Amino acid sequence: MSVRRLAKEQPASFAFSTESQAKADWWKAKYPAVRKQSAVIPMLWLAQKQEGWISEPAIQEIAKQLEMPVIRVLEVATFYVMFQLAPVGKTAFVQLCGTTPCQLRGALDLRSVLEKKIGPAHTVSADGKFSWEEVECLGACCNAPMAAINDYYYEDLTPESLSAILDDFAAGKAPQPGSYEGRKSSEPKDKVQTLTDPKLYDGSAAKKIKIPNLPEKPKKAKAEPAA
Amino acid sequence: MAIAKVNGVEVEFEPGMTVLQVAELAGEEIPRFCYHERLSIAGNCRMCLVEVKPGPPKPQASCALPAAEGQEIFTKTPMVKKAREGVMEFLLINHPLDCPICDQGGECDLQDQAVGYGRDESRYDENKRAVEEKAMGPLIKTVMTRCIQCTRCVRFITEVAGSPEIGLISRGEDVEITTYLGAAVTSELSANVIDLCPVGALTSKPYAFEARPWELKKTESIDVMDALGSSIRVDARANAVLRVLPRINEDVNEEWISDKTRYAVDGLQRQRLDRPYVRVDGKLKPATWNEAFAAVAAKIKATAPERIGVIAGDLQDAESLKATKDLFTALGVKNLDARQDGSALGAGPRESWLFNSTIAGIEDADVVLFVGANPRLEAPVLNARFRKQWIAGKTRFGVIGEQADLTFGYDYLGAGAKTLSGLAKAKADFVAALKAAERPAIIVGQGALSRADGAAILKAAAGLAKTFNVVREGWNGWNVLHTAAARVAGLDLGFVPGEGALAAGDMLKPGAVDVLFLLGADECETAASDAFKIYLGTHGDAGAHKADVILPGAAYTEKNGLYVNTEGRVQIGKRAVFPKGEAKEDWSILRALSEVLGHKLPYDSLDQLRAKLFADHPTFGQIDFAPGSVPTVFDLATVGGEGEVSDAPFESAVKAFHLTNPIARASVTMAECAANVSAASKIAAE
C-alpha cells in the first residue's frame, strides 16, 4: 500500500444516476436522520459501482447528501483500499493476488502477463478498457493463483488461461468465473478422498445429540413454594 | 465518593473519572500525547499505559479506562516502565531527529517525555517515513514528518472550533493530517492547534525560526483584541513582542485565544507613532514633546470648554481614561465619549451594560437569545463555550440578527427590531422554551445598540427581558456583549457626555466643536470634522492621519493598565516591553499635558493614579472579580430610552474579524488572514 491521494485529473462534476440514487436513498433511510452519515461507506461504494472509481466531485456530492464535512468523507475514502481513487479499466479491472500462497503458485508469472497485455500496474490501457493492480490476500488461497476481475474471482489461473480470459474480455465476452482447472469450488484437484460417504449428505448418518443449555421442561413434580 | 489505590495509596475520586485522572489526583504524572482535558478521548497514542488490578495482566490505556471502586492502579511497576519505553520507541521510529531546527524545541512534549520515559537508544535502523507538508493557511506551518498522529488538532477543530476542516486521511503507516485538498483553516480559533500539537508538526508560521522559548521574557497580561479580556502570556525578546500565548483562566478563556489575539502582535512593530508630530502648513512635521504640548495648550486654552470634544478609543486602559476624564473635566469640558460606535449604553445601573451571567456562568443558561450579536466574530472564545453547551444538549439558542454560521445550531427568529418587539407575543417554539426556561439569558450585541435607534432597541430588549423574567432572584440573564476592550471601563468611569453635551457622533459633525481630543480613537470617521484634532495613540491609523498634533502613546503590551472586560471583571495588564521611540505611557502624557494646561492632575505615579481611581470608582478596586458571580436583581425598566425604531436588520458590530483595531490593521499576518477569508467567501458565493 502506498500513500493514497485523489487522482490529479478529476471530472468537472458527479451525479448519481437515478438507479444509484434510489439505492443511496434506501441506505440513507436505514439510519436515523441524525445518524445519516452512517451511510457513507455504502454511498461511496455506489459511486464507485457507477463510475468505476471515486472522484473528488463524488466525495463532495456524498458529503452534501449526508450533511457531513467533506474531510470526513475523504478520510473514509482514503482509509479503505477497496475504494479506487483513480480511474480503472472500463471492461476489466484486474486485482491480482500477490500474497505468499499465490506467489508460490505462480502469481509472478501472471503479473508478467498483465504487464505485457495491459501495461504497468495502476495504469489504464490506451483504449481505456483494462487496468490492473496487485492486492493483498483475497482469501482464496486454496485456488491459488487467483485474481479478482471486476466483481468475480478467477481461480487456478495459468499464464495461458489468464491471457485467454483477458482476450475474452477484450472481445466483449463475459468469461466464466471460478476455477480454471475444472475444480468444483475448492475441492481437491484430482481424487476426492474425504467426505465421500453419501450418508453425510442425506442426514442419515447424523446422531441424535443433546443440545446444551436448553430451557428445562416444566417438571411434573410439584414445585417447592418460594421461600 | 469511590476509593481506589494508586501505588498503594488510597485516593477518593468522583465516579466517572478515568484512571488517568485518578492517578493525577494522587499526584502521579502520567505521560500522554493524545489525551487532553478539553477534548474527547481518543486513546490512540498509548503513552498513558498503566497497570491496573483487577484486570487483564497487561498494560491499560489509563486515559480511556474508567476508574472503579477498589481498583489498584500502578504507575511505577516494571511492566509500566517497559510499556512506556516500548511506546516511546515506536513513536520515535518515524520521528525525525531535527530538534535543533524545530520550533517546538524546548517546549516539546515528545522531547520532554522521551527524556523522562524513553529508552536511551533506538534499535530501529530502517528508513524513516517522510510525509509531504500540507498547506493550512497563513497561521499554521506544517512539518508533517514530525507528526505522531495524536489527532488533537482534528478533535479541536471539530469539537471546540466547530469548523471540521482538518482530518486524518489514509491509514496505517501512511496516515496524514491534512485539510481538505490543502484548503486554509477558516476558524477564528484555528491557531490553538499549534499549542495543542505535542510535537513540532504544527507550528506557528509567523513566528517560524524567530526565537527559542528560553530566550523570551514572559509577561502575564490581558488581551485587548475583544472585550473578553482573555488571559495571555506575552513573549518578548529585547524590545519586540514576538508572540502571544494563552494562559489558562477557567473564568474567561479556558485555555484558548482567538487568532487575532495571538497574531495581531506583529502590528505592534509596524506603522508605529514613535515621536510627536505637529501639522505645519498642512503637513505633519516631527516635533519635540514640548513643541507638541505647546501646540495643544495654545489651542485648548483659546477654546471655550463647550467647543472641545473628547473621544476615547477601544483599546485604552482604565488609567488613561481616568486621567483624560479628570483633565478635561477640570477644564470644564463635558463633551466626553468613550463610545466611538455610538452605542446606546451608559445610562442606568451598572448591570445594564455588563455581561451579568458571567462568561463561565453562561454555561448554566438553558435558553439563550442573541439580539444583534454574532459571537463567533465578536468573541470567538466565548463562542466556543456556546458550542460546548450546544453539543452537550444543555442549551437552546435563538438569534435575532444576522443568520450567520455560528458553529452551533439555533432557532432563527428574525432580522431586526420588528421581530424583537413582537417576540413576546410570537407563537414560535423558541418563545415557549424561553418562557419555560429556568435560567434564560438575553445577549445583546453592539450591532443592535450602536445605531441611531439603539436606545429604543435597548429598551425593547430590556422589555423583553422583563417579560421573560430574565433577571430573577439568584439568576441575572441580562447580558451585553461588548466588542471593545475599553468600553466597560469607560462606562464605569462615566466617560459619557454630561447633561446637554455632545456624544461622539455629534462631535464629529462639521462645526460641532473646535478642538477634538482623540484618545486612541480610530474607529470613528473624523474626516468631516473641521476641528483641530489632537491624537494620542500608537499607530498611524485613521485617527493619526487626520490629526493636527500627534502624541505617541503606548500599546497594551507597553504599559501597565487595568482593563474591564464585558462581564465587568477588572484585570491587570502588564508591561512586556517599553513604548516605541519617544512614546510614553498614556497616563504620563496626560499628566505632563495637564501641567502645561495649568490644571495639574493630582497624581505623580501610576500607583497614585490607581489609588485615585479606586477611591472615585470603587468597582475598579475589585481586581479579577466578576460582579455577576453574585447575581443581583436590578430594574430593567430604567434601561434604554424612547424613540423611533427603524426596520433595518441588525448587523454584527464586527464586519472583518481580522481588522477591527489599529494594531490588527497594521499586522501583516492579519492582512493575510483577512485576504484568505474574503477569498474563501468569494469561492463560497460562486
Side-chain angles (χ1 to χ4, degrees):
Chain A
M1 209 170 78
S2 58
V3 176
R4 286 165 63 76
R5 292 267 191 276
L6 297 183
K8 280 224 172 69
E9 281 172 32
Q10 293 285 348
S13 65
F14 169 86
F16 280 109
S17 65
T18 331
E19 203 181 32
S20 354
Q21 187 60 58
K23 282 183 188 161
D25 292 342
W26 181 85
W27 278 103
K28 277 191 273 179
K30 274 186 76 161
Y31 304 104
V34 290
R35 297 261 183 277
K36 227 197 261 183
Q37 60 267 43
S38 301
V40 64
I41 291 179
M43 294 271 281
L44 283 165
W45 188 244
L46 283 169
Q48 176 159 319
K49 278 270 143 206
Q50 183 182 313
E51 302 290 315
W53 63 293
I54 289 169
S55 60
E56 199 267 329
I59 288 175
Q60 294 274 11
E61 171 68 17
I62 291 165
K64 207 169 117 198
Q65 286 203 20
L66 298 179
E67 289 166 28
M68 61 195 283
V70 62
I71 185 82
R72 294 282 103 81
V73 185
L74 181 71
E75 283 178 342
V76 176
T78 54
F79 185 91
Y80 294 104
V81 283
M82 71 178 186
F83 293 128
Q84 299 298 326
L85 301 180
V88 295
K90 286 226 179 334
T91 314
F93 171 50
V94 184
Q95 289 177 300
L96 174 73
C97 175
T99 309
T100 320
C102 282
Q103 200 188 45
L104 291 171
R105 299 278 294 147
L108 290 176
D109 297 337
L110 301 183
R111 190 161 79 182
S112 39
V113 170
L114 291 169
E115 272 167 354
K116 212 170 109 201
K117 290 196 82 102
I118 301 176
H122 300 289
T123 314
V124 182
S125 61
D127 55 6
K129 282 183 174 174
F130 291 93
S131 71
W132 73 279
E133 66 173 2
E134 190 177 315
V135 294
E136 297 305 324
C137 183
L138 290 173
C141 313
C142 298
N143 299 56
M146 61 79 67
I149 303 180
N150 299 339
D151 289 341
Y152 295 101
Y153 278 13
Y154 292 79
E155 298 158 336
D156 300 324
L157 297 173
T158 58
E160 293 74 33
S161 57
L162 177 61
S163 193
I165 291 168
L166 292 177
D167 289 342
D168 279 359
F169 271 112
K173 289 185 225 164
Q176 183 69 31
S179 169
Y180 273 67
E181 241 174 24
R183 282 204 276 168
K184 186 178 167 192
S185 67
S186 53
E187 278 177 357
K189 186 181 159 196
D190 300 320
K191 209 173 149 199
V192 177
Q193 289 180 333
T194 56
L195 305 173
T196 47
D197 188 350
K199 274 191 204 161
L200 285 173
Y201 303 100
D202 60 10
S204 53
K207 279 184 205 148
K208 246 196 174 166
I209 52 163
K210 187 168 182 266
I211 299 168
N213 301 327
L214 280 182
E216 275 183 46
K217 278 183 192 165
K219 279 178 190 165
K220 279 183 187 152
K222 13 174 197 179
E224 274 180 46
Chain B
M1 293 286 259
I3 292 176
K5 268 188 183 173
V6 178
N7 295 336
V9 182
E10 286 197 347
V11 189
E12 265 189 275
F13 66 95
E14 299 272 352
M17 290 174 92
T18 62
V19 168
L20 186 146
Q21 287 167 323
V22 173
E24 282 195 331
L25 276 185
E28 290 300 330
E29 188 191 58
I30 307 285
R32 86 286 303 267
F33 294 110
C34 72
Y35 175 80
H36 192 275
E37 293 84 354
R38 285 170 228 277
L39 304 175
S40 64
I41 295 169
N44 55 5
C45 76
R46 316 310 289 179
M47 195 62 209
C48 64
L49 295 174
V50 295
E51 194 176 343
V52 174
K53 276 180 193 164
K58 57 175 189 171
Q60 305 266 331
S62 61
C63 71
L65 185 70
E69 172 72 43
Q71 206 164 37
E72 285 184 81
I73 302 160
F74 302 94
T75 66
K76 288 173 177 164
T77 55
M79 184 210 271
V80 175
K81 184 170 185 291
K82 195 174 164 217
R84 284 175 181 169
E85 283 176 0
V87 170
M88 181 53 78
E89 197 176 0
F90 271 113
L91 285 172
L92 292 176
I93 274 182
N94 279 315
H95 193 84
L97 277 174
D98 61 354
C99 302
I101 54 149
C102 175
D103 263 333
Q104 193 85 354
E107 47 189 10
C108 174
D109 288 358
L110 189 66
Q111 213 175 29
D112 296 347
Q113 292 181 29
V115 172
Y117 304 99
R119 287 162 49 90
D120 55 349
E121 61 183 282
S122 170
R123 292 174 291 185
Y124 183 78
D125 47 51
E126 310 296 322
N127 287 333
K128 290 184 180 235
R129 79 167 193 159
V131 184
E132 284 171 33
E133 310 311 7
K134 304 289 183 289
M136 286 199 183
L139 302 180
I140 306 167
K141 183 186 168 213
T142 66
V143 182
M144 279 312 182
T145 304
R146 295 179 189 147
C147 177
I148 58 166
Q149 293 89 40
C150 69
T151 70
R152 274 186 187 181
C153 51
V154 179
R155 283 174 285 145
F156 173 82
I157 255 338
T158 309
E159 295 161 13
V160 180
S163 51
E165 292 164 331
I166 302 182
L168 181 76
I169 64 162
S170 277
R171 65 165 154 164
E173 192 196 7
D174 300 312
V175 286
E176 296 175 308
I177 296 285
T178 182
T179 53
Y180 187 74
L181 307 182
V185 185
T186 59
S187 167
E188 289 78 17
L189 294 169
S190 65
N192 287 300
V193 299
I194 296 166
D195 290 342
L196 286 172
C197 185
V199 297
L202 307 179
T203 51
S204 172
K205 203 178 247 179
Y207 173 74
F209 307 130
E210 284 283 338
R212 286 306 206 175
W214 54 84
E215 297 177 286
L216 302 169
K217 194 184 90 189
K218 289 118 185 155
T219 311
E220 302 199 335
S221 190
I222 298 298
D223 173 51
V224 298
M225 295 292 148
D226 55 35
L228 287 189
S230 300
S231 296
I232 53 170
R233 195 185 89 192
V234 181
D235 285 5
R237 187 179 55 189
N239 209 24
V241 174
L242 293 185
R243 64 172 179 177
V244 163
L245 296 176
R247 277 188 293 138
I248 294 180
N249 185 345
E250 296 296 342
D251 292 328
V252 180
N253 57 317
E254 299 177 276
E255 63 177 281
W256 319 125
I257 52 173
S258 72
D259 291 354
K260 185 164 51 177
T261 302
R262 191 184 297 260
Y263 284 122
V265 288
D266 64 329
L268 292 169
Q269 308 293 338
R270 298 166 51 82
Q271 299 264 326
R272 287 305 297 272
L273 302 171
D274 55 359
R275 59 187 309 170
Y277 288 86
V278 176
R279 194 176 291 272
V280 182
D281 303 330
K283 279 202 174 136
L284 282 168
K285 292 258 167 68
T288 64
W289 275 106
N290 286 338
E291 287 164 10
F293 282 154
V296 174
K299 202 73 196 174
I300 288 182
K301 277 179 179 163
T303 312
E306 54 274 15
R307 299 290 293 170
I308 299 175
V310 183
I311 301 176
D314 292 346
L315 307 181
Q316 291 302 319
D317 52 313
E319 289 91 338
S320 68
L321 291 168
K322 171 72 178 157
T324 308
K325 190 178 175 229
D326 283 356
L327 172 59
F328 283 92
T329 310
L331 291 167
V333 176
K334 283 185 180 159
N335 302 327
L336 301 166
D337 206 342
R339 305 161 303 178
Q340 295 180 81
D341 55 7
S343 169
L345 296 162
R350 188 177 184 224
E351 284 83 3
S352 69
W353 62 73
L354 295 185
F355 199 92
N356 290 299
S357 302
T358 74
I359 290 166
I362 195 72
E363 289 190 20
D364 297 330
D366 44 8
V367 180
V368 175
L369 172 67
F370 294 100
V371 179
N374 180 340
R376 180 169 175 186
L377 297 184
E378 292 166 24
V381 176
L382 178 63
N383 201 57
R385 282 198 198 251
F386 295 135
R387 182 173 161 78
K388 187 164 71 179
Q389 281 166 270
W390 178 70
I391 288 176
K394 290 195 297 189
T395 312
R396 190 159 172 186
F397 297 95
V399 169
I400 303 177
E402 286 175 4
Q403 194 168 7
D405 174 13
L406 296 182
T407 73
F408 53 85
Y410 56 83
D411 294 33
Y412 186 64
L413 303 166
K418 219 174 189 175
T419 320
L420 181 67
S421 48
L423 196 71
K425 287 184 192 124
K427 289 244 156 54
D429 195 28
F430 179 80
V431 178
L434 194 59
K435 217 167 262 172
E438 277 176 32
R439 285 203 239 14
I442 291 183
I443 297 176
V444 188
Q446 297 306 305
L449 302 178
S450 54
R451 324 195 312 172
D453 56 355
I457 289 170
L458 184 62
K459 192 168 184 63
L464 199 67
K466 207 168 169 56
T467 313
F468 290 110
N469 202 11
V470 160
V471 180
R472 53 181 86 177
E473 206 54 53
W475 171 255
N476 189 339
W478 172 258
N479 295 308
V480 175
L481 182 58
H482 288 275
T483 52
R487 185 62 50 80
V488 177
L491 298 175
D492 285 355
L493 280 166
F495 204 107
V496 289
E499 200 69 26
L502 301 173
D506 298 324
M507 287 182 228
L508 294 166
K509 283 179 186 151
V513 290
D514 293 335
V515 173
L516 200 52
F517 187 85
L518 301 168
L519 179 66
D522 285 289
E523 316 307 320
C524 49
E525 191 43 66
T526 54
S529 169
D530 50 5
F532 182 84
K533 300 181 202 76
I534 304 150
Y535 178 79
L536 194 169
T538 57
H539 283 72
D541 205 70
H545 285 312
K546 303 281 184 304
D548 294 292
V549 176
I550 291 174
L551 307 174
Y556 71 110
T557 50
E558 295 157 7
K559 60 188 169 191
N560 292 314
L562 298 173
Y563 297 92
V564 189
N565 78 355
T566 191
E567 48 176 358
R569 184 189 298 274
V570 183
Q571 301 188 102
I572 304 178
K574 295 268 175 62
R575 182 176 66 206
V577 295
F578 288 98
K580 292 273 171 276
E582 292 175 34
K584 298 272 182 282
E585 290 187 22
D586 300 10
W587 80 269
S588 60
I589 297 171
L590 291 155
R591 165 70 178 72
L593 181 62
S594 72
E595 203 155 3
V596 180
L597 288 171
H599 288 272
K600 199 168 102 176
L601 289 170
Y603 23 80
D604 298 329
S605 70
L606 192 65
D607 287 337
Q608 288 176 15
L609 167 52
R610 281 191 183 160
K612 180 89 170 44
L613 177 67
F614 297 163
D616 293 352
H617 306 276
T619 52
F620 283 92
Q622 298 171 320
I623 304 293
D624 206 27
F625 169 74
S629 58
V630 185
T632 43
V633 178
F634 73 105
D635 188 9
L636 281 162
T638 58
V639 178
E642 302 298 333
E644 281 288 302
V645 173
S646 123
D647 217 22
F650 297 148
E651 284 175 4
S652 168
V654 175
K655 303 272 181 319
F657 169 74
H658 298 98
L659 304 170
T660 54
N661 61 51
I663 301 174
R665 281 191 292 267
S667 155
V668 177
T669 317
M670 287 295 104
E672 277 176 41
C673 290
N676 218 355
V677 169
S678 61
S681 60
K682 256 181 221 154
I683 291 167
E686 271 168 15

